[in-house]
Structure formats: C-alpha cells, structure tokens
Amino acid sequence: ACEGISAKDVAKQIPGTHRLAEMDFLRATGHTIMDELNNVRFEHVEMLLRTPSQRLGAIANICGWRTENALRTAFLKRYGMSMRAWREKQAAP
C-alpha cells in the first residue's frame, strides 16, 4: 500500500472484473479495496508521526500518497486535525 498501488492494481490480481473484485472484497471485509489501502497507509503515517525526528513533508512519499497536499487533505478529513496537531496531541502527557 505504501508503494503507491491503487485499488485497480489490486483488482487486476483477482480473477474477474474490477467491479466483481471490489464487490467480493467489500463482502469479505466490509470495506473497499481503497479503504484497506488507506487504512494501511494511515497506520504507517501514525507510526512515522510518533517519531519526532521524522519530517512531516517526507511522510507522504514514504506512505504512498502522490503529494504532501493529498496526504494533508486526507489526514484532516480522517482525523479532524492536522498532522502536526495529531503529533503534538500524542506527545502530550
């Protein structure tokens, strides 16, 4: 997931159509292939944010987002705060 693969890339590995792969995945897991990729990416983002020496700007590329802005937007939507605010909240006693 952190190498930038897409749901389409995953679906190509499953016999049948892309739509069928998505439906089968949704039925088996309760969420879409893209949701799963993003869950893995966000787990890695969280791990890197817990490392104070890790620069915020480098995290997007490491975790599979095309741009830093794309990650910032997705992070804000998912967590309701910036990556910097999330990092500070985790560091607070």
Side-chain angles (χ1 to χ4, degrees):
C2 292
E3 293 179 9
I5 65 171
S6 68
K8 192 173 188 175
D9 296 328
V10 174
K12 285 179 186 176
Q13 302 303 312
I14 301 170
T17 66
H18 177 102
R19 178 74 179 133
L20 184 58
E22 283 283 1
M23 289 171 37
D24 288 345
F25 193 89
L26 181 62
R27 191 173 22 260
T29 65
H31 55 268
T32 67
I33 295 170
M34 196 66 227
D35 288 340
E36 181 65 20
L37 292 172
N38 282 334
N39 289 340
V40 171
R41 289 174 181 160
F42 278 120
E43 285 176 18
H44 200 200
V45 168
E46 288 180 15
M47 182 191 70
L48 293 173
L49 286 174
R50 288 185 181 100
T51 307
S53 62
Q54 182 62 55
R55 291 183 329 105
L56 295 177
I59 292 175
N61 188 38
I62 295 169
C63 296
W65 268 272
R66 292 183 189 266
T67 66
E68 181 180 342
N69 195 43
L71 171 57
R72 288 182 187 279
T73 301
F75 193 93
L76 183 61
K77 183 177 180 181
R78 184 175 179 123
Y79 296 94
M81 66 181 75
S82 70
M83 291 187 292
R84 176 168 280 121
W86 189 92
R87 177 181 266 175
E88 290 170 359
K89 184 177 178 184
Q90 298 304 309

